[in-house]
Structure formats: C-alpha cells, structure tokens
Amino acid sequence: MRAHLRAGVAVYNAGHYHAAHDAWEEYWLGLDEGDDERFLHGLIQFTAAVYHARERNWSGATGLADSAGDYLADLPAGYRGVNVGAVRDSLAGLARDPERIERAPPLALTHEGEAVGLDDLAFEASAVAAEVFAEEFGYDEAVIERAVDYARADLDAGDEGSRFVRFVVDFAREDDQRAIVFQRLSEHVDRREHRESDVEGLFEER
C-alpha cells in the first residue's frame, strides 16, 4: 500500500485533486471491508470533495464531505501515517461551509509527518504517479506501463542508473516538462521493443 498511498498524497499536494484518487482506487477496489478499505474510501471521497468545492459544486462538495467523514470517523488520527485527524476536521469545515475553499488553500496531506511532494517519491511511488498522470492528461498509458516494466527489469538487474527509471520519475515530477519527457520516453521504449524483438527473432525456427 505504501507506494500507492504516497503517490496519491503527492499528486493531491501538487494540486491535482481530481487525479489523486486514481493512485488509490485500484488498490482500494481489491481490499476486503476493514480499516484500510474505509481509510482509502475516505481519502478518495475527501479529494473528490475538495475537487468539487474548487469547481464551485457546493452540494456535491458537502455531500462528499459528510460521506468521507463517516468513513474516516473511527480511525486513529494518524492512521497509516496520514494526518487523518486533520482531514476529518477539514471535512467537517467543508460540510458546514464549502465556500471556505475560496478563502484558504485546501488542507495539505501529510505522511509520516511530511507534506509529501512529487519530488519526495521513490521509484515505485513515482511509477504509480506516472500512470495516474498518463490517464489524467491523455498520454498513451501503454507506453508508460512498458517504461515502468523496463525500469523494474533494469533495477532487478542492478542498473540503478537506468534511463527508464529516470524518465519515469521525471514524467511523474515535471509538470512543465511532461510532454517532452514523454516524447523521449516513448522513443526509448520503441528502441527497446525493437531490440528485444530482434533478439527473439534470432531463435525463431526458419
């Protein structure tokens, strides 16, 4: 859960309130009922409440704030290292007055006492964030998935300086340069795929 959790926190803190839930949703859907399921369900609805408030959908924001507060109500204030107590307070405030979002910035999420940003993510969390941003901004998700696979293979082989690791991390971090990073990453994925297909062809029966 750690990589997904930190990725979602960082995506949210970077101001991508709509996209943040995608870092948690796939993991959450696989959970049985319990504290972790309620925790992620509550965070997903928290980010949605913030998003709707910023879009001035006041009724949507208040409904989600109430629902998210219910999911998080019985969890410890620091559950899984996240500032859940502060989230509950923020949700209560949004439920009472969603227009407060126009007077002050949304609450920052913290994990283990840190307001995690995209630059703070290790590779696995960066990979989650990269896939989130590919979906959110309309990049070819298959390219990012292949790049993540290549990066993991390189890391398993001891290649800490892998260009795929670097490009995946940069794609997750660089809002202003994301299109350029994706173009270069796509080119390297194409080259790697061609090399692998060439090698496979050597062993095919003729």
Side-chain angles (χ1 to χ4, degrees):
M1 176 189 280
R2 181 181 174 82
H4 290 270
L5 180 56
R6 286 180 68 83
V9 168
V11 170
Y12 168 89
N13 284 340
H16 301 289
Y17 307 114
H18 181 268
H21 78 277
D22 285 326
W24 302 317
E25 191 166 85
E26 183 177 358
Y27 189 92
W28 163 67
L29 289 171
L31 293 174
D32 295 328
E33 290 187 9
D35 287 351
D36 282 347
E37 191 276 336
R38 288 192 294 275
F39 168 62
L40 291 182
H41 203 161
L43 286 185
I44 288 167
Q45 293 201 349
F46 165 67
T47 60
V50 170
Y51 172 76
H52 283 292
R54 289 179 61 85
E55 294 295 308
R56 301 175 66 86
N57 176 7
W58 309 128
S59 62
T62 56
L64 285 162
D66 281 333
S67 179
D70 289 342
Y71 282 113
L72 298 175
D74 296 327
L75 297 178
Y79 188 79
R80 290 285 187 179
V82 173
N83 54 331
V84 171
V87 171
R88 284 196 295 257
D89 291 342
S90 178
L91 287 165
L94 272 177
R96 289 192 304 270
D97 175 20
E99 293 184 42
R100 67 187 290 166
I101 207 82
E102 298 187 333
R103 301 191 296 271
L107 173 75
L109 290 174
T110 63
H111 183 243
E112 297 173 351
E114 174 188 24
V116 180
L118 295 169
D119 289 346
D120 300 313
L121 299 180
F123 171 72
E124 285 298 335
S126 292
V128 174
E131 292 175 355
V132 166
F133 287 136
E135 180 177 356
E136 178 72 7
F137 297 120
Y139 292 95
D140 188 338
E141 295 172 53
V143 170
I144 298 301
E145 290 170 2
R146 291 293 286 165
V148 169
D149 288 342
Y150 289 142
R152 287 177 177 144
D154 289 349
L155 288 172
D156 288 344
D159 183 4
E160 298 289 338
S162 163
R163 67 187 62 188
F164 288 102
V165 173
R166 185 174 71 252
F167 281 136
V168 167
V169 170
D170 286 347
F171 183 81
R173 292 180 177 178
E174 303 292 341
D175 276 343
D176 294 338
Q177 302 295 320
R178 190 164 287 125
I180 295 171
V181 172
F182 179 81
Q183 181 179 348
R184 296 184 64 192
L185 179 56
S186 181
E187 291 168 356
H188 283 289
V189 167
D190 285 344
R191 289 176 196 159
R192 179 97 162 226
E193 287 178 339
H194 288 148
R195 284 203 306 272
E196 290 185 349
S197 64
D198 288 345
V199 171
E200 289 171 0
L202 295 174
F203 297 94
E204 291 179 356
E205 294 184 7
R206 298 183 184 277

